[in-house]
Amino acid sequence: MLSSALHRQIFGNKLVKTLDDKDLQEVISHLSQHNLWQAETSSLPDVDFKLPQLYKSDIIEHFNYIANEQSKDYKSLLLEFVNCELPPVPQKWKFHPGWMQYDKSGTSKSVDYPEESALVFDVEVCMKEGNFPTMATAVTKTIDLSIECMKNMITLCCFGTNYERYLWCSERLTEDHFNWSQNVTLSDLIPLETTKHEIKFAKDKKWMPKIIVGHNVAFDRAFVKEQYYLERTKAQFLDTMSLHMCVSGLTGMQRAMSIASKKKSENDSNGFLSSAIGWTYISSLNNLADVYKLYCHGEIKKDEREIFVSGSLSDVKERFQESATYCAQDTWATFHILKKIMPMYLDRFPHPVTLCGLLEMASSYLPVNHNWEHYIHEAQSTYVDLQKELKLSLVHLANDACSLLPNNLYKKDPWLWDLNWSVQNIKFKKAVVKKAKTKQRKKSSNKSRN
């Protein structure tokens, strides 16, 4: 299909595969059956122009090379990270604004941000207080690596390993003062690569590759300060929920059936869910608790989550130790999911472009200006108007369908004849007379008798 000049540029000087006589005769026979063999066709002149120079000999090796160059550091960090064990959860958390670092013994110290190159990250937001991050935890592994890339083989030399846990608390949580503004600023967000006072991208700073793992990490990423710089850092985000959807995800119909199967037992009289029970053991919904149960065969408690959903900052303060432990539990569960699912993902999708694309999609952003709020308002108004029109159209269609009920006219309709047209009698409840009124009537009747 390509001219020889373009074919040579894209696929190199590889020999074109030729058919043997037997295969060639089968092709000719098949084309002859459809009157296509030796049929007259129009031909186009060969197209020849110079393509950009490929990095390797052909287009397959070209994309392999680009993807490996972009993702090799992050893949190395991930593979090393999933082979470690996490430190224990601290027995007591320190109520302090900003990042606090905890070592294995539970000793804590204040730091600007986690400096490690691989970490699991989770953010909790007190919903009643606005769109501000309230608390965050991270668990990391310090790795001293010597990385070499030879013939697409990555060699890791680990010289030292250290494990750290981190807890971040918002100043809105730890300090009692009135907040005049409900607008989120960079100082309200969580730093992962810069100090609190760094508010601009530093071009002279040596940005290091960093992989940040989370479950539905797009939510957590929205509260990271450096992600609002117009210039990108070298941090990449990996979503365990996306990994799960690639390996053992559910379709829309399966998701609805899975939710319904949770509400009904296997011995339910309705048999339409019995087919769903078989695949619920090899897949699950996307939330953290179900995904952890699928891969790690355990349960995680989500009771403390209600504090962040319906509680206030005062409630979080009162149960600070429990809230911090709950947040740390989510990072613990996410890490163990990563250990199970990462090898499965790489086995299912071994091509480096797949991982590279997953990391790239998790780090995209859309710069906006003041017109964004106007766009959101107009989009919502249009949605509401279309919903009203849709409901009105459905009402008209329902009325037209009901008009076919007399004399069984619906049986002549090709779309409506096989629907359930049974009619039910509408029962009206009798008005309940209040006891107070009945007592007054009895008293008045007794007085009249007397």
Side-chain angles (χ1 to χ4, degrees):
M1 301 298 290
L2 291 175
S3 64
S4 58
L6 289 179
H7 191 280
R8 186 166 51 254
Q9 293 182 68
I10 295 174
F11 298 104
N13 295 320
K14 293 183 179 179
L15 296 175
V16 180
K17 184 179 179 181
T18 58
L19 297 175
D20 56 25
D21 293 338
K22 181 180 178 181
D23 292 336
L24 182 59
Q25 290 300 321
E26 289 181 359
V27 171
I28 294 174
S29 175
H30 181 74
L31 292 175
S32 300
Q33 291 177 7
H34 299 279
N35 299 322
L36 295 176
W37 178 245
Q38 294 183 341
E40 294 184 2
T41 58
S42 60
S43 60
L44 297 174
D46 286 345
V47 177
D48 184 13
F49 58 90
K50 185 66 175 178
L51 293 173
Q53 183 66 36
L54 300 180
Y55 283 104
K56 294 295 180 179
S57 60
D58 59 40
I59 195 168
I60 297 176
E61 294 181 2
H62 169 79
F63 283 112
N64 271 329
Y65 174 80
I66 293 176
N68 278 319
E69 285 296 309
Q70 291 185 5
S71 62
K72 65 179 182 180
D73 291 340
Y74 305 101
K75 185 177 180 180
S76 302
L77 293 171
L78 281 171
L79 292 178
E80 183 68 22
F81 192 34
V82 297
N83 289 323
C84 75
E85 296 297 331
L86 294 187
V89 177
Q91 296 295 322
K92 188 175 182 180
W93 302 93
K94 191 171 182 179
F95 191 64
H96 186 275
W99 282 108
M100 293 295 296
Q101 183 188 70
Y102 299 82
D103 59 16
K104 288 183 178 181
S105 63
T107 304
S108 62
K109 67 175 182 179
S110 178
V111 294
D112 291 325
Y113 58 90
E115 296 184 357
E116 290 78 8
S117 51
L119 59 94
V120 178
F121 180 60
D122 183 67
V123 178
E124 298 297 337
V125 178
C126 191
M127 306 304 295
K128 281 190 173 182
E129 301 296 331
N131 198 28
F132 297 91
T134 304
M135 185 182 296
T137 56
V139 61
T140 69
K141 177 184 179 183
T142 304
I143 310 169
D144 186 8
L145 290 178
S146 173
I147 303 176
E148 297 180 2
C149 185
M150 300 176 60
K151 296 182 180 180
N152 296 328
M153 296 297 292
I154 299 174
T155 304
L156 299 177
C157 301
C158 185
F159 298 110
T161 302
N162 189 25
Y163 307 91
E164 306 289 352
R165 281 190 179 272
Y166 292 87
L167 175 68
W168 180 89
C169 292
S170 170
E171 290 183 355
R172 291 173 176 262
L173 176 65
T174 58
E175 299 179 5
D176 295 324
H177 60 81
F178 182 77
N179 298 302
W180 293 96
S181 176
Q182 289 298 316
N183 296 325
V184 181
T185 62
L186 287 181
S187 60
D188 296 314
L189 300 178
I190 305 170
L192 285 180
E193 297 176 274
T194 58
T195 63
K196 178 182 178 181
H197 303 290
E198 293 181 71
I199 59 175
K200 292 184 179 180
F201 180 87
K203 294 183 179 180
D204 56 344
K205 183 174 181 176
K206 188 177 181 181
W207 301 96
M208 300 299 294
K210 194 168 195 171
I211 188 70
I212 302 164
V213 183
H215 196 78
N216 190 18
V217 77
F219 173 83
D220 306 306
R221 177 177 172 244
F223 301 101
V224 176
K225 182 180 75 172
E226 293 80 12
Q227 294 303 303
Y228 291 89
Y229 293 163
L230 290 180
E231 297 86 355
R232 288 182 59 174
T233 68
K234 291 187 177 182
Q236 294 280 17
F237 290 79
L238 183 69
D239 186 15
T240 53
M241 185 175 72
S242 298
L243 296 178
H244 161 68
M245 293 171 69
C246 292
V247 174
S248 305
L250 295 173
T251 64
M253 179 61 71
Q254 287 175 327
R255 182 179 181 276
M257 295 177 69
S258 181
I259 294 174
S261 66
K262 279 190 170 185
K263 300 178 181 179
K264 294 178 178 286
S265 63
E266 295 185 15
N267 298 324
D268 190 78
S269 58
N270 296 325
F272 75 98
L273 288 175
S274 59
S275 60
I277 302 302
W279 46 257
T280 52
Y281 294 105
I282 59 174
S283 185
S284 72
L285 300 176
N286 297 333
N287 63 78
L288 181 63
D290 285 339
V291 174
Y292 178 77
K293 183 178 180 180
L294 174 67
Y295 295 105
C296 304
H297 310 291
E299 302 282 346
I300 56 175
K301 297 180 180 180
K302 306 292 286 186
D303 300 337
E304 293 295 330
R305 179 175 177 269
E306 290 302 317
I307 295 179
F308 296 99
V309 175
S310 56
S312 62
L313 289 179
S314 299
D315 298 327
V316 178
K317 285 182 183 179
E318 291 178 5
R319 297 184 60 83
F320 171 73
Q321 296 297 328
E322 293 83 356
S323 301
T325 301
Y326 161 75
C327 194
Q329 170 197 259
D330 282 359
T331 58
W332 180 86
T334 302
F335 173 77
H336 283 85
I337 291 171
L338 179 69
K339 289 190 68 172
K340 294 285 187 179
I341 203 172
M342 195 66 202
M344 298 170 64
Y345 177 82
L346 294 177
D347 180 65
R348 185 79 62 86
F349 307 100
H351 201 286
V353 172
T354 309
L355 177 61
C356 189
L358 190 67
L359 295 175
E360 187 68 25
M361 290 177 65
S363 302
S364 60
Y365 65 95
L366 176 65
V368 296
N369 56 17
H370 62 279
N371 291 327
W372 179 252
E373 295 294 334
H374 175 71
Y375 166 75
I376 294 293
H377 176 74
E378 290 297 320
Q380 182 65 23
S381 299
T382 303
Y383 167 77
V384 172
D385 293 339
L386 291 175
Q387 283 291 102
K388 290 180 179 179
E389 292 181 13
L390 178 61
K391 290 180 180 179
L392 186 61
S393 299
L394 291 175
V395 168
H396 290 321
L397 289 173
N399 290 333
D400 293 341
C402 290
S403 65
L404 300 177
L405 183 60
N407 301 322
N408 296 331
L409 295 177
Y410 63 87
K411 293 183 178 180
K412 299 179 181 179
D413 192 288
W415 306 106
L416 304 177
W417 67 271
D418 62 339
L419 299 179
N420 183 5
W421 285 86
S422 59
V423 179
Q424 295 181 353
N425 295 325
I426 300 176
K427 297 180 180 180
F428 296 95
K429 292 184 178 180
K430 294 182 179 180
V432 179
V433 181
K434 294 183 179 180
K435 294 182 179 180
K437 292 184 178 180
T438 55
K439 289 181 179 180
Q440 289 179 358
R441 289 176 182 174
K442 288 182 179 180
K443 288 181 180 180
S444 59
S445 61
N446 291 333
K447 289 180 180 179
S448 61
R449 289 176 184 176
N450 295 331

